[in-house]
Amino acid sequence: MFTVIKPMRGPKFKNEVARYPGGENIKRCFACGTCTLSCPVSEAESNYSPRRVIHKILLGLKDEVLSSDEIWYCMTCYRCQVRCPQDVKYPEIMRVLRQMALEQGYVKSEFVDAMKEIEKVTQDIRRKILKRFIEKRESITEKDIREIISLSDKIQP
Amino acid sequence: MNKRILVIGGGIGGVQAGLDLAQMGIKVTLVEAKPSIGGRMAQLDKTFPTNDCSTCILSPKLYELASHPNVDIFSYSTLDKVDKKENGFQARIRKKARFVNEEKCTACGLCSEKCPVKIPDLFNKEITTTKCISIPYAQAVPAVYKIDKKHCLYFSKGKCGICQKVCTAGAIDYEQKDTIETIDFDAIIVAAGAEEYTPRIRPEYGFGIYDNVVTSIEYERILSASGPTGGHIIRPSDKTAPGSIAFIQCVGSRDISSGNYAYCSSYCCMQATKDAIITREHDQNACSTIFYIDIRAFGKDFDKFVDRAQSEYNVKYIKSRISEIIEKPKTKNLAIKYITPDGRINTKEFELVVLSVGIRIPDQIKELMTELGVKLSEYGFCPCDAFEPGITNVDGIYVCGTLMGPMDIPETVMSASAAASMAARGLLSPEISSEIIKEKPAEIAIEEKYLKIGVVVCHCGVNIGSVVDVPEVVKFAGSFRNVVFADELIYACSRDSIKYIIDKIKEHDLTRFIMASCSPRTHETLFKSALEEAGLNKYLMQMTNIRDQCSWVHQDNHEEATEKAKDLVCMAVGRSRYLQPLHELDSEVNKACLVIGGGIAGMMSALFIADNGFRAFLVEKDTELGGNLLKINYTLEEKNISWLLGKIRERVQEHPLIDVCLNTEIREIKGYVGNFTTNLTSGKEERNIEHGAVIVATGGREHETESYGYRDESYVVTQREFETMLLNKNPMLKYAHTVAMIQCVDSRESDKNYCSRVCCGEMVKNILQLKNDYPDKDVYVLYRDIRTYGMLEPYYTQARKTGALFFRYDIENKPVIQKEENGEFIITVYDEILRRYIKLRAQLIVLSVGIDPLETNDQLARMLKVPLNEDGFFHEAHVKLRPVDFATAGIFVSGLAHGPKYINESVSQAIAAASRALTIITKDKIRSEAHTAVINEVRCTGCGFCVDVCAYNAIEIDKEKNIAAVNTLMCKGCGSCAATCLSGAVDLSGFTNKQLIQEFQELFL
Amino acid sequence: MVWKIQGVEGENYLESIKNFLNQLLKSKNVDAVLVPKRFPDGNNTAQVLITDPGKLDDIDPLAPVQMVNSAQIVKELTKDPVKEKIASVLRPCEVRATIELIKLKQILDARLYIIGYDCPGVYNVKDYIEKLEKSNGIGKEGFTLSYVNSFLSGKQDTIRESCQLCTHFTGNSADINIAWVGSNSSDVFIEVNSEKGQSLIEGLAGEKIGDLIERNQKINKILDERKKRQENEIDDFLGFMQRCIRCYNCREVCPLCYCKECLLKPEKMGYSSDRYLRRATKKGQIKMPVDTVLYHLTKINHMAFSCVSCGLCEQACPMDIPLGRIYNVFGRKAQALFDYEPGRSLDDELPVATFKEDELKEIEDVKE
């Protein structure tokens, strides 16, 4: 499969991103991969790579980026931002992209609201799962672990 | 003449600057804050890419400097104040109290052995401890101990005083105070160096928290045979040998987030490669992995070194910057997550992690520079103009080494030599010779005299005496035929002892003298001078080392150590019977220098020879001066090269001491150091010139490529052509919306396996210019590694900021170009991040083609009898410490003839070459070695083995007589010829077969 | 490239060789030929420098005896520049020694043409004379020819040990080689190995012929047998050395001992009388002459790389020390270290005078 990189008409995607607060440093990226290696989401989803998302933005793959699921994965832990040697602010850029996706009609505002709600709920589920685990930590059995994990299975599609 | 220059800093930069100046006849005061000189290089285990022992190559320079009569070293000293005066400076130097008398201390080490207080060993990066009274390392110069007042029991509690009690030399002085000297200087060279980044700033790497995470400097100490682990590679946590080692690059480099480290530290990629190779040499099972962003093997033979690391030493290179290190609590192993070459995420455990830490200027040096009024860059370095490397904003203050920016040892040495000849301007004159003539008593003729041998055996305090039975050795020595005097001394090197030795030589009318003591490396010169004082030829002394060879290595076996000492003395007696007086030969020096090549390197060399008052012949085969620079319009730093070049050309052409020979070829060069004759031809005219030194600055040329359709396509151009297109606003640019640049064209592969060093910078330069003139144009760069080392890195960052896109490609999978019917190019390349092939459309393709050596190098090399390397560039005498010298004395190299490099580096090397040449042509006479090869004409068969093995081109076969003939002035006395000659026709004076055989016969017969 | 020169074939190999040399001289391609020739009394041969083609009768390069290694004679003939072209007809071991001496700059090769030939090996001189005397009746030439026949039929066990071990018995590295092994009749072929060799047969009527398959088979068969005989160790080296009387015969006959003044000459190796006594006192006794082992070790050290195993040292030894075998073993081992074969080609550089970064790695790699 080939990706054909076409010259952009109108303002270039990367410049568009860079104009938003938080997006300024995007072009400094030298693709070292620190962000991907810092990312807890990448650990769960090996196909998710912040480095690749940045690279796609730089390549101008606007449609692909703004319509992709990836821009909604970031859980804004800011580890990548702290460790990035070039001060590229990935979580900020994700915020910018989400904003753009909404503004430019890639998603509806209801979707964004739902995403916010989902994030809240996700955190809540996480908290509950952990709580269950921590409560039993003294006498935890394999059965307990399976039970706890099955909780997380339930929320899968 | 009493010219004096202050050198601040005793690292390799300061040492080289000091030596060059001293050899030009200028007095040097060198101030070093640490207790000994040697700097960072003394801490390194080995040096790349030759893996020479760092200390072994450094030590001789340190001794040479310390023993040079023009040099005063103030170690453990600081500058209180520096005032600008008319035509110079006045400095107040504070020599801090060591509490050890420098004159009296013999460095026997007893004080340290008995001292009860252990303190962290700073030299070994606190991996181990040292004593409260110590020297930093065994080969330290000056070898004088120092008390750490803060930890000393005598100072803190008023008791102990053990060191004073045990010191038989009486050198301990608890009352010693700081002393202050005020000295006037004509100029100052600051070679204060830099320090390593503290990785604590990046806590995710766990440095200082995890035991098995060390810095590259700490690892150098661990590798070093004289280091804290005795050269055994063991990891700190459990003292076991690590089987897997990770090197993490760019820690504190190319990193603006943890501080102001936007630059690249230049040497770390190669240091990690070297350390990985050495690790493997220590342990055949150890596996190293280097995690990098770009491998910057930009120097001469560096890429080959990296290739060897991979193919022969199983070193893995993985392009992935590391995000964090996690320690496994039980094993103390370290888990590292990285991106694999095929884009997956993987985790691997390592037993040891080495952080390749970057370089920065410490605050106290920034303060010093501010004090001196020298402006520093935003990064704290002292950058200089390309055509004035080393010149600061303050008149009379020069800089060199890492203070100018991150650089490796050879660049430091070049910049130091360059600083020397810049600082020396106005202080030298052809009328005044720089050689040192020492008044000494007339030499006694020994030929008519009876053979009388004297023997002195030294106790070296307790160093020898506590193991070897010295009185027994003395008694034994006295029993030999012809030995008329034998005695022992507690410290033979003390002033009183030297006087005693002189008296005894005279009193007993001795004709040979044997010193059984320590290492000739440190003390031979001193004892030789005693013989001279006594009127004996100094080569009538034989020194034998009963300290290192007996008391040190056999300290547990006193009896056998004594027996061995007796054997060594016996051999020395045998050998001394045949010692003969030797004399150095003097030869007149022609005080002019020939510079071959009229490019920027040649012009700068000639200018600095001439600016220092000496004549230069500048020979150029073309019709005008300027070389490659004529085709360059601007650089990253300089916007108007042609104007600057014009100024330099004008200065060269109008300089009364420069004889510019255009349109001229060299037909023949005859002679040797100090006395060359060269035949120049220009058209039909022919003339001979005489000169004392030669600088080869013949340059290089742009590689001619046939790749990527360059031959046939007008829209495929080289970076240099592209630069001109930009300058001329070439109409082709209008059509080209998108420019694709391809790096490493024909470079770093089979036929041309080296990096041309300048192409990445050139690419960045052209991007910045293009984006400045045409912000809307797109730029794609296809690269293998971006090698914008040192202070070029911020320009690379700028280039990215302009929006240029960078794609890494693999040598196995090069980009493919197709031409469309409409004339556009489609480039297909594998995108490692997207993990799929992409097609890029471009209208103009720019190739980075690199630099080729000149084909004519071979001819010139044969004329000068100097070597070329595998790639066809001139091969310097030593890649680290003699980067502008050839092994053959009196011939130097600079610029592209030596290898690809940037303009500022060429200029620096060119001025360094001038400096090195000045150390020769400032002398009226040049002195040969006393130990030289002597041909036995009866035995010599003319087979020519000696000619083949001589590294200094000092031997030729006399065609008439068909026997070998040695040029004594060029001979360094290495003895290769003597060892090779099957007929025994070569003797090395002072080491003749007769002497060596007698050494054994005395022992065995 | 193999040539067959017209009009060379005679009644036997010797006559064919003679005819070929005759053509060389007559064509003026060379001015003189150095070639072994029988003495008038027929008992022995010597190298003779011939300029008159009429004097070529009785040449006998195949006679199974070697008095000296002729490289020494070539050295004498070429030490000064001359304008005449000399062709020297040499046994393969002499060819190789000559090439070594050229590299050692002891022979000026500008006007020298080296002609090698297939060598059937030789007897020890004593054996040769004895066998010759016993063979009355078959004539001098007949003796050589019957020897050649027995060589071709594979009988080799009575020849000198060095010859039995020799694996270079054709003159591959000479400018041309006169090949007769594998020729069915009495004819000889000319193998041309260099440009110089080509110029030697310039103008002679002849034709190129293809590979001589039968010849190669024969040669390989002999090679295989000989390789089997070669040993890899010397069992009682010190024992052999004890026999040495330091007569220096081995040094005198060695073609590669090229020093003008030997380091090991008696006055250099000897000591003052009191030293002998001191040494004896120290050990209780000393064997005289002293230092025989030192003498041989030094000589081996000097010669091992260039030794062509001609075996003259062994032939010259009055104490029957198997020097040929000793040198063969030491030489092969030393040469293998540097992938060097003495006399193989003028382009090979002598190991002593060259430095390669990757050589003698096995010494470097020794661990504590």
Side-chain angles (χ1 to χ4, degrees), chain A residues 61-127:
Chain A
L61 305 173
K62 184 171 175 180
D63 285 346
E64 189 178 330
V65 172
L66 291 185
S67 57
S68 82
D69 303 342
E70 287 177 335
I71 60 173
W72 304 98
Y73 280 5
C74 173
M75 54 187 242
T76 57
C77 71
Y78 281 84
R79 254 203 277 178
C80 52
Q81 180 165 330
V82 170
R83 290 177 186 170
C84 173
Q86 291 295 315
D87 207 15
V88 178
K89 297 171 176 148
Y90 184 76
E92 305 285 324
I93 290 168
M94 288 307 107
R95 192 178 43 73
V96 170
L97 293 179
R98 290 171 187 182
Q99 180 76 14
M100 284 169 80
L102 177 64
E103 281 172 9
Q104 301 182 24
Y106 287 88
V107 291
K108 292 183 183 134
S109 66
E110 292 80 7
F111 175 80
V112 178
D113 293 344
M115 275 312 286
K116 280 182 187 159
E117 194 54 32
I118 286 169
E119 231 168 71
K120 229 187 242 172
V121 175
T122 313
Q123 286 303 335
D124 197 44
I125 292 173
R126 183 176 180 276
R127 188 184 55 80

Side-chain angles (χ1 to χ4, degrees), chain B residues 507-556:
Chain B
E507 183 186 326
H508 293 276
D509 203 12
L510 299 179
T511 56
R512 304 286 189 283
F513 182 73
I514 290 161
M515 189 72 234
S517 56
C518 52
S519 167
R521 198 187 57 210
T522 52
H523 283 73
E524 193 173 44
T525 323
L526 176 72
F527 297 129
K528 274 183 175 169
S529 68
L531 263 74
E532 278 185 332
E533 283 295 309
L536 269 187
N537 182 285
K538 62 184 177 187
Y539 296 100
L540 297 171
M541 181 195 68
Q542 179 60 40
M543 205 171 161
T544 189
N545 186 345
I546 61 167
R547 185 191 62 182
D548 301 24
Q549 311 292 350
C550 303
S551 65
W552 279 3
V553 290
H554 305 293
Q555 49 183 314
D556 299 327

